[in-house]
Amino acid sequence: QSVLTQPPSASGTPGQRVTISCSGSSSNIGSKTVNWYQQLPGTAPKLLIYSNNQRPSGVPDRFSGSKSGTSAFLAISGLRSEDEADYYCAAWDDSLSGPVFGGGTKLTVL
Amino acid sequence: EVQLVESGGGLVQPGRSLRLSCAASGFTFDDYAMHWVRQAPGKGLEWVSGISWNSGSIGYADSVKGRFTVSRDNAENSLYLQMNSLRAEDTALYYCAKGRLGELSRPLDYWGQGTLVTVSS
C-alpha cells in the first residue's frame, strides 16, 4: 500500500489530453512540493516534473503539473505513442522523514 | 554527462549480506544528496535510503531500518548500501539516484540503470 494514491491505469488516443491524479496527506503533498517520474518500459525512471510544475531541461511542454491541497495532477497534452509508460508521483513526507512514491499509473496510448 | 553505475547485485540466501556500490561521474559528487530506490519485479518504486552531501543527514525506509546502512566516499565519487539480514521481500532492482541538491528532500534528477538483488534459498 503506497503512501500516495494514484489510479493504476489511464488511457487516451493520440492527440488527446490525459490527466493523472495523485492523492496524499498533510504530511506530504499538503506541505511539500510534488515531483513526477516517467518510467518507459524496461528503463530507469526519469524526472519529468519537479516542484509541482517545473520541467527539467529537455522535457516537452506537453507535460505539466499542478497541485491543490493534498492532491497533485500530471497533465499530458497532444498525447503521443511514445508517452506510453508508467508515471509515478512523489513527495517528501515529514512523518516518515523520506520521500514517498505513488503506486504508479500505467498510461496506454490507444 | 551524469552517469551512475550500480554494481554488487546478485543471488543471495535469506539472512546473508550484500554490498551494493554506485560509481558516479559527470558532476561534482560531493555537492549532492544520493539515494537508493528499489523496484520489486512488476511493482512500483520504493525509496530505500538517502544520504546528504556531507553524510550529515541519513534516512531509511522503515522496511530496511536496522538492516541496511548507506554510506558515501566523496573522494571516490561512490555511494554504497550495505544490506544485512536479507529477506525474500528485499528482492528488487536497486537504483542509485542523484538528488537535485545537497539536501535529502530534493527530487531525484538522475538515475542509474539498477542492479538486481535476488534473495532466495
Side-chain angles (χ1 to χ4, degrees):
Chain A
Q1 191 79 0
S2 301
V3 175
L4 305 182
T5 301
Q6 298 179 235
S9 64
S11 63
T13 56
Q16 265 192 331
R17 175 184 170 92
V18 169
T19 300
I20 297 171
S21 63
C22 175
S23 177
S25 68
S26 58
S27 65
N28 42 67
I29 293 178
S31 57
K32 302 296 180 185
T33 58
V34 177
N35 311 304
W36 290 89
Y37 299 90
Q38 177 193 57
Q39 187 174 32
L40 296 170
T43 70
K46 166 191 164 184
L47 181 63
L48 192 66
I49 296 286
Y50 67 95
S51 297
N52 301 329
N53 55 18
Q54 301 300 301
R55 285 185 306 277
S57 173
V59 173
D61 59 7
R62 302 186 296 105
F63 295 91
S64 62
S66 62
K67 190 182 95 165
S68 177
T70 58
S71 293
F73 305 90
L74 173 70
I76 309 171
S77 59
L79 201 60
R80 305 175 69 161
S81 58
E82 55 260 41
D83 298 332
E84 197 160 275
D86 292 323
Y87 292 85
Y88 294 90
C89 59
W92 184 264
D93 190 294
D94 279 334
S95 298
L96 301 176
S97 296
V100 291
F101 287 91
T105 297
K106 183 176 184 63
L107 175 64
T108 301
V109 181
L110 302 169
Chain B
E1 178 195 6
V2 172
Q3 284 201 319
L4 300 169
V5 180
E6 303 93 337
S7 61
L11 174 63
V12 61
Q13 292 180 326
R16 305 297 290 261
S17 299
L18 210 56
R19 189 193 196 209
L20 305 185
S21 300
C22 172
S25 61
F27 63 102
T28 305
F29 184 72
D30 53 13
D31 277 350
Y32 298 94
M34 297 295 296
H35 299 260
W36 291 99
V37 178
R38 69 185 181 185
Q39 186 169 34
K43 302 297 185 182
L45 302 173
E46 179 190 17
W47 177 74
V48 174
S49 181
I51 183 168
S52 63
W53 65 280
N54 63 351
S55 304
S57 183
I58 288 176
Y60 298 97
D62 287 344
S63 57
V64 307
K65 206 170 289 185
R67 299 188 299 123
F68 290 11
T69 303
V70 65
S71 62
R72 65 189 294 163
D73 184 337
N74 286 347
E76 295 292 327
N77 290 348
S78 293
L79 174 72
Y80 304 100
L81 185 69
Q82 178 66 42
M83 304 187 296
N84 298 333
S85 304
L86 282 162
R87 306 167 180 167
E89 53 264 36
D90 295 319
T91 294
L93 186 62
Y94 284 72
Y95 292 105
C96 164
K98 169 187 167 292
R100 199 166 176 273
L101 286 170
E103 303 88 358
L104 283 184
S105 60
R106 302 298 181 171
L108 311 180
D109 59 357
Y110 288 93
W111 299 59
Q113 289 306 303
T115 186
L116 182 63
V117 172
T118 303
V119 183
S120 174
S121 54

